[in-house]
Amino acid sequence: MILQLTDVCKDYNRGKTLVPVLKHINLNVERGEYVAIMGPSGSGKTTLMNILGCLDVPTSGKYMLGELEIGAQNENALAEVRNKRIGFVFQSFHLLPKMTAVDNVALPLLYAGVSQKERRKRAEEALKAVGLEERLHFYPNQLSGGQCQRVAIARAMVTNPELLLADEPTGALDTASGDQIMEIFQQLSSQGMTIVMITHEPSIAQCARKVYHIRDGQILDGAFTKADAPGELGGDGYGEA
């Protein structure tokens, strides 16, 4: 098991009012799984992603990332987890505009203390893996949206993380670019990468092997698992697990 959430709740204080955002979340993800968490705006999916990515901690309940209990870690330890064990892909790319593609990809390795020569080598390899070997020295404003997202994926993968988290990874892209990004995720999944993706789009969620639905801060009972053969578990290729 790479991650396990047990009875996780997250509350926020709004003035004198306590607002529950996540309510008794239970979620298990095995190593190598490709999971989508699907829900509408305001369902709590972004808060859940922040907790999975160690950007926030639960109000109550337990989050285990492998053998590590996240709620028991201090901020320095959480920063190290984010740098070395988790890769992030966001809707808005979060590339630094004054850095080239290769320098953006190498940035997590700088924080990890990797030598300059090794940083450059690994960043170039990561960009080649997503088909951008001819765009190494381009700046974000010289790249298309789909190319920027491929740079972001290369940056997420350059540290060889245990877990890849993707938050609406195609939300800022046209359909053709979004399809290319989903193909990259499929390739990563086939290579054994554990992927958890947040989305509100059914067509994107169906790229995953398993789909959970979140609504009003709660994960609905059961996951939908893609059939080995189309139609085996229903007309859309999914059946309730």
Side-chain angles (χ1 to χ4, degrees), residues 128-159:
K128 289 177 183 177
V130 296
L132 291 179
E133 59 269 28
E134 297 182 358
R135 298 290 190 272
L136 299 179
H137 305 294
F138 282 52
Y139 291 89
N141 65 1
Q142 297 173 309
L143 301 171
S144 68
Q147 289 171 338
C148 284
Q149 193 62 295
R150 281 191 271 168
V151 173
I153 293 170
R155 181 184 59 192
M157 300 306 301
V158 76
T159 58

Side-chain angles (χ1 to χ4, degrees), residues 122-200:
R122 289 170 60 177
E124 290 180 356
E125 290 173 349
L127 284 166
K128 289 177 183 177
V130 296
L132 291 179
E133 59 269 28
E134 297 182 358
R135 298 290 190 272
L136 299 179
H137 305 294
F138 282 52
Y139 291 89
N141 65 1
Q142 297 173 309
L143 301 171
S144 68
Q147 289 171 338
C148 284
Q149 193 62 295
R150 281 191 271 168
V151 173
I153 293 170
R155 181 184 59 192
M157 300 306 301
V158 76
T159 58
N160 299 316
E162 300 172 42
L163 174 65
L164 179 64
L165 298 179
D167 190 0
E168 302 282 6
T170 63
L173 305 178
D174 59 59
T175 301
S177 297
D179 289 345
Q180 292 173 355
I181 296 305
M182 287 298 98
E183 288 177 9
I184 292 174
F185 282 136
Q186 293 285 10
Q187 292 169 7
L188 292 172
S189 176
S190 69
Q191 294 165 9
M193 171 56 58
T194 306
I195 302 172
V196 178
M197 178 174 62
I198 296 288
T199 185
H200 69 278

Side-chain angles (χ1 to χ4, degrees), residues 50-108:
N50 288 341
I51 288 175
L52 293 177
C54 302
L55 297 166
D56 203 350
V57 293
T59 303
S60 62
K62 181 183 289 188
Y63 173 23
M64 298 294 297
L65 180 62
E67 75 296 341
L68 192 68
E69 184 177 351
I70 295 302
Q73 307 307 307
N74 61 32
E75 188 51 48
N76 287 338
L78 292 177
E80 185 173 359
V81 169
R82 292 191 297 267
N83 179 255
K84 295 183 177 179
R85 300 182 64 173
I86 302 174
F88 296 90
V89 178
F90 299 100
Q91 176 178 338
S92 54
F93 319 137
H94 292 312
L95 302 180
L96 296 181
K98 295 184 179 181
M99 297 180 71
T100 62
V102 71
D103 287 334
N104 265 286
V105 173
L107 197 57

